[in-house]
Amino acid sequence: MADKQPTPLAFMSYVRFDDEHENGRLTQFRTRLSGEVRMQTGDDFAIFQDRNDIQWGQNWKQRIEESLDSVTFLIPIITPNFFNSPACREELEKFLERERVLKRNDLILPVYYVGSKVLDEESKRAQDKLAQEIAKHQYADWRELRFEPFTSPQVGKTLAQLAIQIRDALERANTSAKTAAKRAETRKRASSRTQSKAGLARSPVGEQVGQRPQPSGSLKGSETARPSGKTEPTTLVVDRMHRGDFATITEAIAAAEAGYRILVRPGLYQEGLLIDKPLEIIGAGNAADVVIQATGQNAVLFKATMGRISNLSLRQSGRGTWQCVDITQGRLELEGCDLTSESGSCLAIHDGADPRIMRNRIHDGQSSGVYVYASGLGTLEDNDIFGNALSNVSIKSNGNPTLRRNRIHDSKQNGVMVYENGQGTLENNDIFGNGYSGIEIREHGNSTVRNNRIKKNAFYGITIRTTGGGTFEDNDVRDNRISAFWTSEDSMEQVKRARNQE
């Protein structure tokens, strides 16, 4: 059929020396990932690897230079050699431009294979725009897994997670194609509704009938509900003073089509939000002035493939076991918000959800600040997580998040608790002033902990007990009340320590 989607495929961008040095391990990775995507989707998924292969050149030209389909991926294998390779850099630049044109952020799937100072050190990263772009993408951390056989369960799980990312991106592309015509029609209806509402309103002095009155202090530009062309989504405005499209956020969500933006003006919105379609919800003004407060329910329950919430204060109140933000699936970007909960955790991530949690304040939860469980994933960067009644971060039952550059402090219990087969990677965090240990790992928990500053905690810097384990490298674990480390006898064999300051 003429309108059939192109066959999904990917290009693996890598330096050949790296594969040769690893005795063909990157080639094995490509083969295993291709098969895992087929396992997840039921369809073939070709991954081209060798630039000298004629198929690479033909497909690269056709799929990148001549078309803009949304089912072609780049898998860059990140090593120090990658940043020194002109060919790898060119491929990444072309795909970044392609993501911008398509308004996507899920078509580049980096695999961090060997640690690179260009990516890890902020001063060096600031001088390399491509390193900055890679840091913004969710990547598969293979730095430890490169030493594990492909038969390792953890290698298999990580491959499956990467394949699921590809599967979900393909589903989003198919959904987008099917709903394009419907979205255009909805935009037309939204524009007509806005014009009708403005025409029925009383016209202030100096305004023509049929124009929207602009309240004092209103935002400029894209805040009215209208089709906004190729570069901006349709925007619906929520205003408690009835000066927007809707007076509640729930009404706006019900009316919005997938891909819409909802702009929330300052006010107190006493409602819980169910987000079951891809949307942006953004607070206008200071986050402290745009407050969503839910009593006896979650402040936000996220059940969509992707979305974004920014610049809001989210409050869960009342008794029970409700979370402030409960992420059940997909990739939610939660940025610049303030989260508290009077009953459960401030933030829960589970059932394979893989959100981006950036620059939020997550505090004063009745339970944990962040609770990752049931194979939840996620990348948490530059957050302030503090003052929670249990541990600031709790990870269990195959939860496997990545935490970078967070301040994790002043909990009533541990800074980070990993237990019951929890995992996780902690890098460059400040973990201090917690009521128990900075980090506690137990009951088959196993984490990678690198380059953190773990200080001034009431017990130990790091406690590993009851068959816990992990890798601990290059951490500063000085100046805790009792000592830097405490490891129980039944955990000794599961612990790897190197170059820590104790």
Side-chain angles (χ1 to χ4, degrees):
M1 293 177 63
D3 59 349
K4 184 178 180 181
Q5 279 279 78
T7 302
L9 59 81
F11 297 92
M12 191 172 85
S13 180
Y14 74 111
V15 175
R16 183 175 295 177
F17 169 83
D18 294 336
D19 191 35
E20 293 172 351
H21 177 73
E22 296 285 275
N23 297 314
R25 188 171 172 82
L26 296 180
T27 299
Q28 287 183 275
F29 169 86
R30 185 260 301 168
T31 302
R32 292 293 298 269
L33 179 59
S34 178
E36 185 64 31
V37 175
R38 178 172 179 174
M39 181 75 72
Q40 297 287 343
T41 64
D43 296 316
D44 287 336
F45 184 75
I47 302 177
F48 293 100
Q49 175 180 353
D50 194 339
R51 294 183 186 86
N52 293 330
D53 188 333
I54 190 170
Q55 287 185 303
W56 175 288
Q58 290 175 340
N59 278 283
W60 178 267
K61 184 176 181 180
Q62 180 181 357
R63 300 295 288 265
I64 305 305
E65 296 180 356
E66 295 182 356
S67 71
L68 289 174
D69 68 88
S70 298
V71 292
T72 304
F73 300 85
L74 183 72
I75 304 171
I77 307 299
I78 306 302
T79 68
N81 288 321
F82 181 92
F83 291 106
N84 294 328
S85 167
C88 291
R89 294 182 70 90
E90 179 186 7
E91 289 154 8
L92 181 57
E93 286 172 348
K94 285 183 178 290
F95 263 86
L96 287 168
E97 176 59 28
R98 184 168 165 276
E99 278 194 330
R100 285 190 286 270
V101 171
L102 293 172
K103 303 183 184 66
R104 300 288 294 267
N105 62 0
D106 56 358
L107 302 178
I108 299 173
L109 306 170
V111 175
Y112 198 6
Y113 197 74
V114 176
S116 171
K117 291 185 177 181
V118 176
L119 193 57
D120 291 339
E121 296 183 8
E122 186 172 353
S123 60
K124 294 183 182 296
R125 188 169 63 248
Q127 299 174 20
D128 192 310
K129 291 184 178 180
L130 293 185
Q132 295 171 35
E133 292 295 336
I134 289 174
K136 294 177 184 178
H137 283 73
Q138 169 72 21
Y139 60 72
D141 193 340
W142 217 269
R143 287 173 290 180
E144 289 294 326
L145 295 179
R146 66 178 281 235
F147 303 111
E148 298 290 336
F150 278 100
T151 55
S152 160
Q154 185 56 44
V155 170
K157 289 178 183 178
T158 307
L159 277 168
Q161 291 164 3
L162 192 55
I164 288 169
Q165 284 183 253
I166 294 172
R167 179 201 67 191
D168 291 347
L170 292 172
E171 290 176 355
R172 286 191 289 271
N174 290 334
T175 299
S176 177
K178 290 177 182 178
T179 60
K182 181 180 178 181
R183 184 174 297 173
E185 179 62 26
T186 304
R187 285 172 177 162
K188 189 180 297 184
R189 292 199 304 269
S191 179
S192 300
R193 182 177 67 248
T194 300
Q195 294 172 5
S196 298
K197 288 174 65 179
L200 291 172
R202 180 178 295 175
S203 177
V205 175
E207 286 189 337
Q208 299 177 3
V209 174
Q211 291 181 330
R212 175 191 294 278
Q214 290 293 330
S216 175
S218 65
L219 295 182
K220 298 178 182 180
S222 62
E223 101 173 291
T224 56
R226 69 191 190 286
S228 44
K230 294 183 179 180
T231 59
E232 289 293 329
T234 298
T235 301
L236 304 177
V237 178
V238 178
D239 190 315
R240 292 293 291 165
M241 298 295 290
H242 297 270
R243 295 176 298 194
D245 299 298
F246 302 96
T248 71
I249 305 168
T250 300
E251 291 175 313
I253 291 172
E257 291 289 330
Y260 273 29
R261 173 180 294 161
I262 297 173
L263 190 68
V264 185
R265 288 180 177 161
L268 173 61
Y269 297 85
Q270 294 181 311
E271 52 185 312
L273 308 182
L274 170 60
I275 303 174
D276 56 1
K277 64 187 83 170
L279 298 172
E280 289 184 275
I281 302 178
I282 301 174
N286 295 323
D289 297 329
V290 189
V291 180
I292 298 171
Q293 180 171 306
T295 303
Q297 58 181 319
N298 302 306
V300 173
L301 176 58
F302 185 80
K303 302 177 69 174
T305 55
M306 64 189 305
R308 179 170 178 248
I309 297 175
S310 177
N311 207 41
L312 302 172
S313 289
L314 302 168
R315 305 279 182 260
Q316 197 289 321
S317 63
R319 297 181 178 181
T321 56
W322 304 101
Q323 326 297 345
C324 181
V325 177
D326 190 359
I327 305 174
T328 70
Q329 67 177 74
R331 177 170 292 177
L332 171 66
E333 292 185 6
L334 183 68
E335 181 176 10
C337 294
D338 191 289
L339 282 63
T340 63
S341 177
E342 292 182 358
S343 60
S345 299
C346 296
L347 173 65
I349 304 168
H350 53 99
D351 293 307
D354 189 11
R356 298 286 186 85
I357 312 297
M358 301 169 290
R359 294 178 290 280
N360 303 281
R361 298 175 77 247
I362 303 171
H363 61 100
D364 294 303
Q366 187 64 25
S367 183
S368 299
V370 178
Y371 181 32
V372 186
Y373 67 101
S375 300
L377 301 170
T379 301
L380 293 86
E381 297 180 328
D382 304 303
N383 301 284
D384 196 7
I385 308 171
F386 64 95
N388 295 286
L390 301 182
S391 296
N392 277 323
V393 179
S394 295
I395 305 169
K396 65 177 289 190
S397 56
N398 295 308
N400 192 14
T402 298
L403 291 89
R404 298 191 188 95
R405 303 184 302 277
N406 301 284
R407 285 166 48 88
I408 303 171
H409 60 101
D410 295 300
S411 74
K412 304 300 188 295
Q413 296 188 9
N414 298 292
V416 179
M417 166 75 89
V418 185
Y419 62 112
E420 294 179 10
N421 297 296
Q423 300 170 53
T425 300
L426 284 73
E427 298 176 330
N428 294 302
N429 301 285
D430 288 288
I431 305 173
F432 61 94
N434 295 288
Y436 293 178
S437 294
I439 300 173
E440 179 171 325
I441 303 178
R442 58 185 174 87
E443 298 163 5
H444 303 290
N446 194 301
S447 298
T448 299
V449 181
R450 294 192 183 98
N451 296 303
N452 301 279
R453 294 155 295 281
I454 307 168
K455 295 174 171 288
K456 298 185 183 303
N457 297 286
F459 289 2
Y460 300 92
I462 299 174
T463 297
I464 310 110
R465 64 184 181 91
T466 323
T467 65
T471 299
F472 306 87
E473 298 174 339
D474 303 303
N475 301 286
D476 187 347
V477 204
R478 297 173 293 179
D479 195 22
N480 293 283
R481 183 175 180 182
I482 300 179
S483 68
F485 278 88
W486 184 80
T487 305
S488 65
E489 187 173 348
D490 60 1
S491 300
M492 293 286 190
E493 293 185 359
Q494 290 81 248
V495 175
K496 300 177 183 178
R497 289 163 57 176
R499 302 179 303 280
N500 299 289
Q501 298 182 65
E502 302 178 19

